[in-house]
Amino acid sequence: MQEDKLCTFDYAIIRLVPRVEREEFFNVGVILSCPGHKFLESRIFLDEDKLKCFAPDVNAETVREYLSVIPKICAGDAEAGVIGRLPQRERFYWLTAPRSTIIQTSPVHTGITDDPRGEIEHLFKTMVG
């Protein structure tokens, strides 16, 4: 696959919603899928200071454990179980499906890129960092 080939990509922002009933959230990551480049990756960062402000009683280590599954699913890692064995595009849609848990994603957005790796880094810095 050519690196300079323009392709569409989809992405979603990963949100942490420590108190689902309050619907308050902060961004903790990005998932980006670019089928034309066979690319599906995520970038994640949990800001523990923000978590303490939003929900001091929520255990950061537990949240970090839950978040750690997302890159494994993206990579199709054996530790991701049945979901990790799905085709790449299906894994993206499974990860971005609406949920009512403390880890949710934004609506899926679309763009065009010839560099999905550069795109995910830019989105991560802009939306999370």
Side-chain angles (χ1 to χ4, degrees), residues 48-60:
E48 289 189 35
D49 292 333
K50 275 188 186 177
L51 178 58
K52 286 178 188 171
C53 289
F54 274 76
D57 58 326
V58 173
N59 183 302

Side-chain angles (χ1 to χ4, degrees), residues 14 20-21 27-28 32 46 52 59 61 65 67 73 78 82 93 95:
I14 304 166
V20 177
E21 69 279 6
N27 298 340
V28 295
L32 189 138
L46 175 60
K52 286 178 188 171
N59 183 302
E61 194 53 43
E65 197 176 310
L67 289 169
I73 292 171
V82 175
Y93 286 119
L95 285 166

Side-chain angles (χ1 to χ4, degrees), residues 29-109:
V30 178
I31 304 168
L32 189 138
S33 171
C34 184
H37 285 277
K38 296 183 172 136
F39 183 92
L40 175 60
E41 289 187 16
S42 63
R43 300 287 183 275
I44 297 172
F45 172 72
L46 175 60
D47 184 332
E48 289 189 35
D49 292 333
K50 275 188 186 177
L51 178 58
K52 286 178 188 171
C53 289
F54 274 76
D57 58 326
V58 173
N59 183 302
E61 194 53 43
T62 301
V63 173
R64 194 178 318 287
E65 197 176 310
Y66 293 155
L67 289 169
S68 73
V69 175
I70 295 170
K72 291 174 185 173
I73 292 171
C74 288
D77 191 299
E79 288 184 46
V82 175
I83 302 303
R85 291 193 298 267
L86 292 172
Q88 198 174 62
R89 198 70 177 147
E90 289 181 42
R91 292 194 312 265
F92 175 75
Y93 286 119
W94 188 89
L95 285 166
T96 59
R99 291 177 172 74
S100 61
T101 63
I102 69 168
I103 298 172
Q104 301 180 11
T105 58
S106 70
V108 173
H109 305 282

